[in-house]
Amino acid sequence: GVQEMDVVINLTDEVSHLIELQEIDTIHVEAVQDIVEEALMQNNHLKVAKNYILYRERQTIKRQKHVLEEIKAKKLEIGTQEEGVELYNADILEKKLVYLSQNLDYIQISDIVEQVSRQIYKNIPKKDIHKVLLACVKEKIEKHYNYAYLASRVAVDDLYRSILKQAWGSKSLNVEYKAQFKDYIAKGIELDMLDKSLADFDCDQLANAFDISRDNLFKYLGMQILQDRYFLRDRSEEREIYELPQWFWMRVAMGLAKEEKDKEKQAIEFYHVLSKMDFVSSTPTLFNSGTTHSQMSSCYLNTVDDSLSGIFKNYSDNAQLSKWAGGIGTDWTPVRASGSRIKGTNGLSQGIIPFIKIFNDVALAVNQGGKRKGAMCAYLEVWHT
């Protein structure tokens, strides 16, 4: 009837509005159906929402069955026009996993392949297959810790492909890993991220010291943190990573050794200690060593003067220190207590609490250069009021 039509029109308008709020050029049909499902529930059409959810589940099973049949017949097309369309071959994925899981026991490769095959669809972008694979491996980490190593290798393999144009285990990987190190240094300097003095190193000598098997030492959580926060990214809109794990260790080592007499020898010694994880430097060193701002200290202590200019100078100093990943402990004891006389105005002080609020806001605002939360602590003697 008319009432039902009004409901349909109103829901359609609401869904259209929610889709427009996504602000993307294209939206997947599953995402649209998620929005429809949410709109039905928010408007209290619970019975319709339940039937819609059951309908989606039946359709998903049908699609999965059809996709699995196409995969078995090797007829499922993957990829986009931009990256090239090809037929999906589960055997290739299985071979890749066999390669990646060398020396790792208790890895059930067939289960991973089957799980990936159930989640892909026709014309899925190839990069999304990598995301599906990584997600499937990550889900199994709780079953055995070796899946954490495998997930890390899947992530590193993606770096190899994007940076070196090589795959894990390829014959040219070791050669390209070393040969392109010099280009990486040059790119970092060109982007004004790496210190120009790094170009004075004998990069070939340093590259020959690489042991790329040490990329296997990472579990997924460690590799994920390195990719999210530590590896250098270019200045493009996509902020693509252009630093590999062993390049990262050597960059840190070069920054530590650049003032040494035999800097190549010292850098290589530092590299071996770091890359074997016998010792790993703190975050500011890993962030900044070898860069244009080589601030490598972790912690700072300072004291606030009992004056307005002294207090605001401390804010400025702490902001600069925090920007370059320094953690700060500030002694606020010298600042006069609440109720103390202010000579210049003959008023009464509010104490340190209003200034501590600003101190906290500085830590939140600067947040260590956009890489992680700031760490600033206020200290006060117990007798202070």
Side-chain angles (χ1 to χ4, degrees):
V2 176
Q3 188 175 0
E4 287 81 2
M5 281 299 299
D6 288 341
V7 170
V8 172
I9 291 170
N10 290 335
L11 281 171
T12 302
D13 290 342
E14 183 175 342
V15 169
S16 298
H17 176 65
L18 291 171
I19 291 172
E20 289 173 359
L21 291 177
Q22 303 294 312
E23 294 184 350
I24 52 178
D25 295 332
T26 57
I27 185 168
H28 193 271
V29 65
E30 292 291 331
V32 174
Q33 291 178 349
D34 288 340
I35 293 172
V36 172
E37 192 176 302
E38 183 180 351
L40 287 169
M41 289 189 288
Q42 286 183 348
N43 287 277
N44 209 30
H45 300 296
L46 301 182
K47 186 175 180 181
V48 177
K50 179 182 176 181
N51 289 331
Y52 188 67
I53 291 169
L54 293 173
Y55 162 77
R56 290 185 66 188
E57 183 62 26
R58 289 193 299 270
Q59 292 300 110
T60 298
I61 293 171
K62 283 183 182 179
R63 284 196 301 272
Q64 285 183 346
K65 184 178 179 182
H66 177 69
V67 167
L68 290 171
E69 287 174 352
E70 286 203 317
I71 290 174
K72 190 174 181 180
K74 297 184 177 178
K75 293 182 178 179
L76 181 71
E77 291 185 343
I78 59 171
T80 61
Q81 289 184 344
E82 291 77 15
E83 61 184 354
V85 177
E86 62 185 56
L87 295 177
Y88 173 72
N89 190 336
D91 295 337
I92 294 176
L93 177 60
E94 184 172 352
K95 288 178 181 177
K96 173 180 177 176
L97 286 168
V98 168
Y99 227 14
L100 291 174
S101 60
Q102 289 181 55
N103 305 318
L104 296 178
D105 298 324
Y106 307 107
I107 300 294
Q108 297 176 317
I109 293 174
S110 58
D111 287 354
I112 299 172
V113 173
E114 182 179 354
Q115 194 172 347
V116 171
S117 297
R118 288 184 178 278
Q119 295 188 44
I120 63 174
Y121 50 88
K122 185 176 181 180
N123 296 126
I124 180 175
K126 296 173 190 175
K127 63 180 180 180
D128 286 355
I129 295 179
H130 165 80
K131 294 177 182 177
V132 171
L133 171 60
L134 185 57
C136 290
V137 177
K138 283 163 56 181
E139 285 180 9
K140 294 181 177 293
I141 290 175
E142 62 182 22
K143 292 187 175 181
H144 196 279
Y145 61 84
N146 275 345
Y147 283 105
Y149 287 109
L150 179 58
S152 175
R153 294 180 184 186
V154 171
V156 172
D157 178 59
D158 190 46
L159 288 179
Y160 292 163
R161 292 171 185 270
S162 63
I163 297 173
L164 299 177
K165 312 305 178 188
Q166 300 289 324
W168 184 288
S170 65
K171 293 180 180 179
S172 302
L173 178 62
N174 190 53
V175 173
E176 291 301 319
Y177 207 123
K178 295 179 178 181
Q180 295 188 36
F181 176 66
K182 186 183 292 185
D183 295 335
Y184 146 76
I185 295 294
K187 181 175 182 177
I189 294 172
E190 182 183 349
L191 292 173
D192 197 28
M193 292 183 179
L194 294 182
D195 194 299
K196 293 179 181 179
S197 65
L198 267 56
D200 298 332
F201 280 82
D202 185 339
C203 289
D204 293 331
Q205 182 182 345
L206 299 182
N208 285 332
F210 289 152
D211 183 348
I212 69 171
S213 68
R214 292 173 189 167
D215 286 356
N216 296 339
L217 296 176
F218 296 100
K219 290 184 179 180
Y220 179 69
L221 181 59
M223 180 51 59
Q224 181 188 34
I225 291 172
L226 285 175
Q227 290 191 6
D228 288 348
R229 298 185 182 181
Y230 293 85
F231 289 167
L232 296 179
R233 295 175 177 269
D234 62 27
R235 298 188 186 277
S236 67
E237 188 174 338
E238 294 77 19
R239 298 185 69 248
E240 298 286 350
I241 294 173
Y242 67 94
E243 188 170 54
L244 293 172
Q246 301 309 306
W247 294 356
F248 160 73
W249 292 128
M250 187 59 83
R251 184 257 296 170
V252 174
M254 292 165 76
L256 294 170
K258 65 180 184 178
E259 301 299 330
E260 299 287 340
K261 289 183 179 179
D262 190 350
K263 55 189 177 184
E264 284 80 11
K265 179 183 177 182
Q266 295 299 322
I268 290 171
E269 287 188 15
F270 277 131
Y271 162 76
H272 286 307
V273 172
L274 292 166
S275 62
K276 289 189 290 185
M277 300 187 201
D278 292 337
F279 167 83
V280 176
S281 299
S282 60
T283 288
T285 303
L286 301 181
F287 274 170
N288 301 322
S289 183
T291 68
T292 53
H293 193 101
S294 289
Q295 191 294 106
M296 294 186 277
S297 297
S298 297
C299 303
Y300 297 85
L301 299 175
N302 55 23
T303 301
V304 183
D305 291 334
D306 184 25
S307 66
L308 200 59
S309 59
I311 291 170
F312 277 84
K313 181 180 185 301
N314 182 266
Y315 294 152
S316 177
D317 291 345
N318 285 356
Q320 290 297 327
L321 294 172
S322 185
K323 175 181 179 180
W324 301 107
I328 305 147
T330 299
D331 177 19
W332 285 81
T333 304
V335 178
R336 72 196 71 184
S338 177
S340 299
R341 185 73 60 185
I342 302 173
K343 183 179 179 181
T345 64
N346 200 31
L348 299 179
S349 171
Q350 298 182 74
I352 69 166
I353 298 301
F355 296 111
I356 291 290
K357 291 179 180 177
I358 300 172
F359 180 77
N360 181 66
D361 289 340
V362 170
L364 294 173
V366 179
N367 74 359
Q368 301 205 358
K371 291 187 175 181
R372 64 173 185 171
K373 292 182 179 179
M376 292 164 57
C377 185
Y379 290 89
L380 200 64
E381 292 284 358
V382 293
W383 49 261
H384 198 288
T385 59

